[in-house]
Amino acid sequence: VDGVPPGLELTESDIQPQLTRRRPGQSTLTTPRDEKDKVTILSGTEFGRTLGTPIGLFVPNEDQRPGDYKEMSKVPRPGHADYTYQLKYGIRASSGGGRSSARETIGRVAAGAIAEKWLHSLFGTRVVTWVNSVGDVCIPEDVMQEMSNGWTREEVDRLGQLELLRDPARWPIDAEAIASGDDKRKAAELKQRAAFEDAFLALPEDDPTPAYRDASGKVYTRTGSELSSPPANIGAWVSDDVVSLRCPHAPTACRMATLIRHVKAAKDSIGGTLTTMCTGVPAGLGEPVFDRLEAKLAHAMLSLPATKGFEIGTGFRGTSMRGSAHNDPFVAQHTSGAGRPNLTTSSNNAGGTLGGITVGTPIQFRVAIKAVSTIGQAQTTSTFDGEETVLEAKGRHDPCVLPRAPPLLEGMTALVLADAVMLQRTRLGGANTIADPTLMAGADANGVEEPSSKKKRTK
């Protein structure tokens, strides 16, 4: 990681939390690959502070199985970059995808954690991403309007975490079996879990059986309906299987979990959307005309694997609004600080930028992520030689990558904002990000003070 200013306090503990949120093997709804993703700083710091020299980071990839990709040496995966990499370079990394694999995003997340710490130390900037939708299951619009300022990262993780429930009378729970080291006991519990999952998926949609419990202790059915009178022994229903959806609305998270469980059982995959909210962003960031801040953000987001769409503010929905409704009126702002203007807006349909330059209001955007290409379901396709074949991909792949994706967006966002701050501060030769705060009060477009008589006539 190059360009990190000297003197920033930095240790592995500043980077590890984001890598842990991204790592595989977090629950039964993600890939079963068990990676710890433990980071070590190799260079660029001394006594816990950055030196201003490049920071080298190392994260071992410990749980790999190249043999799972054997059949893909001759068959390009439908929807994957296997074919285009071979077409472009005449060679490719067949055992895992190489640069087209999402494994490369670990570097982005680690670098983004450093950038985010620097931004927070200067401006109190916070970047939070949550799962907004999976398939056709989406957080209700009225909930989003109530939470116009979004959630904290801690709330996203806590509110988006669910405990899986199963009736102990029918499906006895041996919570310690997996970690016991007893192979026979572990096998029995895994068999029990598989049988329970088959039974769960066969239930009708309106089944009232308790299925999930959220962080506050509320109990829900498979479709996210809260049970006002759960079983008295509900504590005995709790398995050791906890799923992190990172959707901060528990009823919606329950519906997402049920959908992903169905998709996984079908050896298929599903996509969705993520929403990112940036607060504490200084005004004045962004470069007209081709490097507008939203253009840089879109570039960063669409450089991530599987991303297929980007919209800022009201996005495509805003095209159906009239200007009188979409415009964000300016209002006086009574607090000011580094990079803060004296005006803010009473709404935020623009999503935090005007003309590609930050206003000082929260930046909000949404990113679409497609379904994972590598699936276990049989697909009729073609070999590189043009012969028709059937591909049933082996390996341990996510049925849905959305729950692990928030750190990716957060990391790339922090990198874009950090670059924009450095560029603007270099231009001004100081710590502020707006050229002259006095221009915000009583000066015309050329910085000339208006006559007092004209001020009085202005309404």
Side-chain angles (χ1 to χ4, degrees):
V1 185
D2 201 4
V4 180
L8 177 69
E9 292 185 1
L10 185 71
T11 65
E12 285 88 349
S13 63
D14 296 308
I15 304 169
Q16 190 60 54
Q18 284 293 78
L19 297 186
T20 300
R21 296 176 77 230
R22 172 203 171 276
R23 78 174 188 89
Q26 295 184 38
S27 76
T28 54
L29 298 188
T30 64
T31 170
R33 286 192 303 112
D34 187 16
E35 293 283 1
K36 300 299 183 288
D37 284 354
K38 188 174 181 179
V39 65
T40 302
I41 297 178
L42 299 180
S43 65
T45 66
E46 188 174 72
F47 307 121
R49 288 185 178 273
T50 57
L51 298 171
T53 54
I55 297 173
L57 304 171
F58 175 73
V59 182
N61 184 190
E62 299 175 326
D63 187 11
Q64 68 277 354
R65 297 181 186 174
D68 287 347
Y69 298 87
K70 186 177 180 180
E71 69 269 30
M72 298 167 203
S73 63
K74 298 180 179 180
V75 183
R77 286 168 283 180
H80 200 277
D82 291 338
Y83 176 69
T84 50
Y85 266 70
Q86 184 70 34
L87 190 70
K88 181 176 179 66
Y89 298 105
I91 194 171
R92 73 193 187 288
S94 60
S95 59
R99 289 185 294 175
S100 64
S101 168
R103 288 179 179 86
E104 59 88 0
T105 60
I106 197 165
R108 304 171 186 242
V109 174
I114 300 173
E116 189 176 0
K117 177 163 187 179
W118 182 72
L119 289 167
H120 188 265
S121 70
L122 291 177
F123 309 106
T125 305
R126 296 186 183 277
V127 183
V128 182
T129 299
W130 61 86
V131 178
N132 187 71
S133 69
V134 172
D136 60 357
V137 178
C138 185
I139 298 178
E141 189 60 35
D142 60 329
V143 173
M144 292 300 299
Q145 291 178 356
E146 290 175 11
M147 298 300 297
S148 58
N149 291 324
W151 291 268
T152 65
R153 191 172 291 172
E154 293 72 21
E155 288 173 332
V156 169
D157 286 351
R158 178 174 55 86
L159 299 176
Q161 191 171 77
L162 301 173
E163 295 174 311
L164 270 59
L165 306 178
R166 72 188 202 214
D167 187 351
R170 287 192 62 196
W171 314 99
I173 300 172
D174 186 355
E176 300 176 357
I178 303 300
S180 66
D182 185 332
D183 291 343
K184 187 174 181 180
R185 184 178 168 190
K186 179 179 178 180
E189 171 63 14
L190 291 175
K191 183 177 180 181
Q192 184 84 312
R193 289 186 184 188
F196 163 73
E197 192 68 9
D198 289 341
F200 174 85
L201 297 174
L203 292 173
E205 286 295 304
D206 59 352
D207 184 82
T209 304
Y212 305 102
R213 187 169 72 171
D214 70 9
S216 66
K218 294 180 180 178
V219 178
Y220 303 88
T221 66
R222 58 191 288 117
T223 56
S225 298
E226 184 180 350
L227 294 175
S228 56
S229 300
N233 68 332
I234 194 63
W237 287 59
V238 180
S239 69
D240 64 344
D241 200 350
V242 179
V243 295
S244 295
L245 277 300
R246 296 200 166 86
C247 168
H249 184 244
T252 305
C254 293
R255 296 171 59 209
M256 289 177 177
T258 299
L259 173 59
I260 296 173
R261 291 166 77 173
H262 276 282
V263 168
K264 180 182 178 182
K267 297 182 178 181
D268 213 335
S269 60
I270 190 91
T273 61
L274 297 160
T275 298
T276 297
M277 176 80 77
C278 313
T279 56
V281 178
L285 307 184
E287 303 298 315
V289 169
F290 301 107
D291 290 334
R292 296 171 180 238
L293 192 78
E294 59 262 45
K296 300 295 282 187
L297 286 169
H299 185 178
M301 297 307 121
L302 295 178
S303 75
L304 289 165
T307 52
K308 288 296 181 183
F310 174 90
E311 62 178 10
I312 188 167
T314 55
F316 292 102
R317 180 170 58 86
T319 61
S320 64
M321 301 170 65
R322 297 192 178 190
S324 55
H326 193 274
N327 289 342
D328 299 315
F330 291 104
V331 294
Q333 181 172 262
H334 301 294
T335 59
S336 62
R340 301 290 187 194
N342 293 324
L343 294 179
T344 186
T345 57
S346 58
S347 57
N348 195 24
N349 293 315
T353 67
L354 291 171
I357 301 172
T358 56
V359 184
T361 55
I363 296 174
Q364 183 172 352
F365 59 84
R366 188 177 298 177
V367 175
I369 295 183
K370 74 176 183 69
V372 174
S373 302
T374 311
I375 60 175
Q377 194 174 116
Q379 300 177 90
T380 300
T381 184
S382 174
T383 67
F384 280 103
D385 295 329
E387 297 179 4
E388 184 176 302
T389 188
V390 175
L391 178 65
E392 294 181 56
K394 297 178 182 178
R396 299 159 295 167
H397 305 282
D398 295 83
C400 179
V401 296
L402 274 294
R404 293 175 54 210
L408 279 61
L409 272 66
E410 291 162 351
M412 292 303 292
T413 300
L415 290 169
V416 169
L417 294 178
D419 281 349
V421 167
M422 288 182 179
L423 184 58
Q424 179 68 353
R425 293 179 73 188
T426 299
R427 172 181 291 110
L428 299 177
N432 213 333
T433 63
I434 52 177
D436 184 354
T438 61
L439 292 179
M440 295 295 179
D444 68 14
N446 295 311
V448 179
E449 186 73 14
E450 295 179 356
S452 58
S453 58
K454 184 177 180 181
K455 289 184 182 179
K456 292 179 181 178
R457 292 198 305 269
T458 302
K459 293 184 179 180

